[in-house]
């Protein structure tokens, strides 16, 4: 259980209540939503911006590659909500991460996601060069932005000790 208490409708700010009125009060049963809604700007920043960037990522590289990037980061960082969500995505794509034979482009996305999650300060130049050979600079900017948001989302879950 998180070391901060999830918000309830009664304890939510007026801004958070407005969000709940829009998305449905039943979403408070989801611990992550109930923690994000401690503050409406936190919810918008962490949840809504991720949805927008995910849509942009899918436009840039496709749903399978986008989901694979997000799954790899969640797997590396071991955040329960994100890992569960992206494991479902892998299942929808028919991917068993340990047995699927990935394309070269998929292997590159996997390696990049792992590098970001493991040590974003030291992404090898050789990996960056391979990214430039396969993706446009715009695609790399979108991939990187989603990797950053996914990492932040996973860190939020982990720091607040969220459980399923």
């Amino acid at each position: 259980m998180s070391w901060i208490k999830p918000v309830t409708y009664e304890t939510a700010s007026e801004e958070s209540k407005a969000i709940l009125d829009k998305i449905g009060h039943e979403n408070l049963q989801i611990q992550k939503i109930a923690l994000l809604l401690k503050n409406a700007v936190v919810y918008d920043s962490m949840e809504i911006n991720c949805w927008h960037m995910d849509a942009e990522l899918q436009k840039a590289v496709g749903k399978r590659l986008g989901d694979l990037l997000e799954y790899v980061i969640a797997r590396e960082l071991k955040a329960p909500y994100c890992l569960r969500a992206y494991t479902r995505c892998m299942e929808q794509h028919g991917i068993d991460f340990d047995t699927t034979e990935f394309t070269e482009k998929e292997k590159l996305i996997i390696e990049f996601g792992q590098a970001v999650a493991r040590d974003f300060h030291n992404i090898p130049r050789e990996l960056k060069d391979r990214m430039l050979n396969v993706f446009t600079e715009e695609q790399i900017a979108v991939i990187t932005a989603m990797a950053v948001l996914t990492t932040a989302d996973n860190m939020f879950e982990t720091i607040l000790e969220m459980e399923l």
Side-chain angles (χ1 to χ4, degrees), residues 12-13 59 64 75-76 86-87 99 106 117 121 134 156 161:
S13 68
K59 284 191 327 194
R64 182 178 167 106
R75 181 177 161 131
E76 288 292 320
Y86 293 115
T87 296
T99 61
E106 290 169 339
H121 287 102
V134 173
F156 183 88
E161 299 172 357

Side-chain angles (χ1 to χ4, degrees), residues 31 74 77-87 154 157-158 161-164:
Q31 184 186 32
L77 297 177
K78 299 172 180 65
Y81 281 91
C82 287
L83 186 55
R84 180 176 66 178
Y86 293 115
T87 296
N154 281 265
E157 289 180 24
T158 302
E161 299 172 357
M162 294 170 52
E163 297 173 355
L164 294 175

Side-chain angles (χ1 to χ4, degrees), residues 75-102:
R75 181 177 161 131
E76 288 292 320
L77 297 177
K78 299 172 180 65
Y81 281 91
C82 287
L83 186 55
R84 180 176 66 178
Y86 293 115
T87 296
R88 286 183 189 145
C89 290
M90 294 300 96
E91 290 167 356
Q92 290 170 353
H93 292 297
I95 295 174
D96 176 329
F97 191 77
D98 297 317
T99 61
T100 297
E101 291 193 29
F102 294 105

Side-chain angles (χ1 to χ4, degrees), residues 31-50:
Q31 184 186 32
K32 183 175 181 179
I33 300 298
L35 291 173
L36 288 169
L37 281 168
K38 282 290 205 180
N39 180 285
V41 174
V42 170
Y43 177 82
D44 283 345
S45 297
M46 299 292 297
E47 192 74 2
I48 303 302
N49 284 340
C50 279

Side-chain angles (χ1 to χ4, degrees), residues 83-144:
L83 186 55
R84 180 176 66 178
Y86 293 115
T87 296
R88 286 183 189 145
C89 290
M90 294 300 96
E91 290 167 356
Q92 290 170 353
H93 292 297
I95 295 174
D96 176 329
F97 191 77
D98 297 317
T99 61
T100 297
E101 291 193 29
F102 294 105
T103 66
E104 290 306 311
K105 195 180 251 190
E106 290 169 339
K107 289 177 187 175
L108 188 56
I109 278 283
I110 290 167
E111 187 178 348
F112 184 74
Q114 289 170 331
V116 169
R118 290 176 182 166
D119 184 5
F120 65 89
H121 287 102
N122 294 302
I123 296 173
R125 177 79 244 166
E126 176 268 332
L127 175 55
K128 294 174 186 176
D129 291 341
R130 285 189 290 128
M131 291 286 289
L132 282 166
N133 287 330
V134 173
F135 299 104
T136 67
E137 290 182 5
E138 181 181 359
Q139 287 174 314
I140 292 170
V142 173
I143 291 165
T144 302

